[in-house]
Amino acid sequence: MSQTLTVRRVAGALGAEISGLDLARPLTDAVVAAIRQALVEHQVIFFRDQDLTPAQQTAFGARFGPLNIHPYVAGMADHPEVMEIIKEPSDKINFGGGWHSDMSFLQTPAIGSILYALEVPQYGGDTLFASQAAAYDALSDGLKATLERLSAVHSAAREYSAQGHSAQKRSSMSVAEADGYVGEFIHPMVLTHPETGRKALYVNPAFTLRIDGWKTSESKALLDYLFNHCRYEAFTCRFTWAKGSVAFWDNRSVWHFALNDYPGQRRHMRRVTVDPWPEMARVAAAAE
Ligand code: SIN
């Protein structure tokens, strides 16, 4: 395969399919820069017909930033930065089956996630993506101005605590219980993308607990309004996986949702998650 990339948009708000690249091969700096440009412009990008070992997926991800080791989901024994996302035919609950942005529950959230499909069900198992930049753009100037003054508290407690959704109900993945205090981290409700300058909403139903300085009960109405607004279909695109497909999304401006509509079938994916380069993390910290 050559290293000339072709970009085809897949929906109005976000998403583009990129062809012409073999991600298993070492990529030139120019190609990596072009992929990064496509990512920040389209917010989620898709590749087809790839064949990646865990080492090759890791090498690809590491071109975009340091790779995250998930604090609650065990990685592969010899590649701790590679998470296996598996739903067995007998599993009722899938991983990521609700709108969220990865790792917003950390002090320095991940900038991107790269998901590779090894085995997909015969039907179902698509992933939905929603542009939080489009969601922000669609708000009134009044609400935008209000939200820009606010921050929100994020935590893994609801998902990963002993009582949490992820820890309780899945049998096929090694999801550790976050014993006791998992930490609460405050992020602005509107993020300015450090690479594009575009603004996006940064709250999500899985990990955002409340508005900073507000009671949970006071926060509920505004957060519920936003959670509903942010998943409006005009802000979304939908990806149907095949073996060898890769999706790479920008967690700073995208929510995603793994559909759980393939009972009795197996789905096996591998994810690496990209943290910001240290200088980018410092910019984010200074902005908070
Ligand atoms: C995830 O939330 O990272 C999983 C998405 C998927 O399996 O489609």
Side-chain angles (χ1 to χ4, degrees):
M1 238 184 243
S2 73
Q3 289 208 329
T4 309
L5 92 217
T6 306
V7 179
R8 183 183 64 81
R9 284 179 67 161
V10 301
L14 79 169
E17 193 160 319
I18 298 194
S19 49
L21 292 180
D22 177 356
L23 305 183
R25 285 177 43 193
L27 301 173
T28 64
D29 290 349
V31 168
V32 170
I35 295 173
R36 194 168 188 115
Q37 178 56 35
L39 174 71
V40 298
E41 186 178 331
H42 298 287
Q43 303 171 74
V44 54
I45 51 179
F46 307 108
F47 304 85
R48 297 284 188 188
D49 302 321
Q50 303 295 320
D51 186 6
L52 297 175
T53 62
Q56 287 164 333
Q57 189 175 355
T58 301
F60 174 66
R63 298 298 303 273
F64 298 91
L67 298 184
N68 174 281
I69 297 193
H70 199 288
Y72 309 120
V73 181
M76 297 178 77
D78 45 353
H79 289 284
E81 58 290 283
V82 180
M83 271 168 55
E84 301 234 66
I85 298 181
I86 300 173
K87 182 169 180 263
E88 295 292 356
S90 56
D91 287 344
K92 298 283 177 265
I93 300 291
N94 66 335
F95 183 83
W99 285 114
H100 64 288
S101 10
D102 290 331
M103 325 301 276
S104 80
F105 54 81
L106 296 180
Q107 181 158 26
T108 306
I111 62 167
S113 302
I114 301 171
L115 189 65
Y116 167 61
L118 280 109
E119 184 180 342
V120 297
Q122 280 189 334
Y123 49 80
D126 293 359
T127 305
L128 306 178
F129 297 89
S131 168
Q132 299 309 293
Y136 172 81
D137 290 346
L139 296 174
S140 66
D141 288 346
L143 185 49
K144 282 179 183 159
T146 301
L147 295 176
E148 282 189 43
R149 291 193 297 269
L150 297 176
S151 293
V153 178
H154 297 239
S155 169
R158 256 192 328 232
E159 285 295 316
Y160 292 106
S161 67
Q163 293 74 38
H165 304 141
S166 297
Q168 270 187 337
K169 296 176 194 139
R170 193 176 308 99
S171 56
S172 311
M173 286 176 60
S174 177
V175 179
E177 291 175 5
D179 285 332
Y181 184 65
V182 295
E184 294 190 341
F185 297 101
I186 298 169
H187 304 302
M189 288 179 69
V190 177
L191 280 191
T192 301
H193 197 290
E195 292 170 74
T196 63
R198 191 171 177 197
K199 291 182 175 168
L201 288 170
Y202 195 68
V203 288
N204 69 83
F207 303 125
T208 308
L209 299 184
R210 63 184 181 279
I211 297 169
D212 186 37
W214 297 23
K215 292 180 190 169
T216 302
S217 55
E218 293 168 338
S219 307
K220 188 174 177 340
L222 180 51
L223 287 179
D224 282 351
Y225 172 78
L226 293 174
F227 295 159
N228 197 38
H229 166 79
C230 288
R231 62 189 169 89
Y232 173 48
E233 61 264 31
F235 310 148
T236 69
C237 71
R238 177 176 185 141
F239 187 59
T240 300
W241 297 89
K243 180 177 162 50
S245 303
V246 171
F248 186 175
W249 60 89
D250 188 333
N251 283 301
R252 296 163 292 187
S253 62
V254 176
W255 278 5
H256 59 284
F257 187 138
L259 291 174
N260 187 8
D261 57 355
Y262 51 102
Q265 299 187 70
R266 189 170 198 272
R267 183 175 183 270
H268 182 181
M269 321 289 275
R270 287 194 185 128
R271 191 180 97 189
V272 295
T273 312
V274 181
D275 280 340
W277 297 114
E279 55 291 1
M280 232 183 244
R282 278 198 295 277
V283 173
E288 282 174 24

